[in-house]
Structure formats: structure tokens, C-alpha cells
Amino acid sequence: MSTPMNLTHSVATLALDESKVTPGLLGFVVFAALGVATWFLVKSMNSQFKRIDFTEEPDPTQE
């Protein structure tokens, strides 16, 4: 191997510690976006359920 390739490999090995890999900022942003989208969907679903107006028909067997 050439010296630059060996140096690059050494730096990459030192920079990546398998026990300290975290999702980071992108993972947090995606998780937060999913949470906000879920909140809006639940809010919309509740407003749609409030629009439903039905009356139960009497049970014909209770006469």
C-alpha cells in the first residue's frame, strides 16, 4: 500500500469508534418530523370523527 492510502485508512479507523456510533442530528430531525406528522394526522382524524353524525336504529327484536 502507498503511504497516503495507509494514512487514510489509519485516520478512518481512528475516527470510527463502533461503540460510539449515534444517529446524530439527521436521525433526530427525521424522528421529530415523524412525531409532528403523527400529531397532525391524529388531530385531523379527531376532527373527521367529530363530523360523523349517525343515529342508531332501534333494535327490531326488542318489541
Side-chain angles (χ1 to χ4, degrees), residues 1-60:
M1 273 200 220
S2 64
T3 304
M5 182 63 111
N6 195 9
L7 181 63
T8 305
H9 178 66
S10 297
V11 170
T13 304
L14 290 174
L16 180 62
D17 186 9
E18 292 295 327
S19 65
K20 294 184 181 180
V21 176
T22 62
L25 180 63
L26 180 62
F28 173 73
V29 169
V30 169
F31 186 75
L34 286 172
V36 169
T38 302
W39 182 74
F40 278 114
L41 285 171
V42 168
K43 190 173 178 178
S44 173
M45 181 184 67
N46 283 336
S47 68
Q48 294 295 326
F49 281 151
K50 287 179 184 177
R51 290 183 185 178
I52 297 174
D53 185 27
F54 73 95
T55 55
E56 290 189 30
E57 295 180 13
D59 192 11

Side-chain angles (χ1 to χ4, degrees), residues 58-63:
D59 192 11
T61 59
Q62 285 188 350
E63 290 179 0

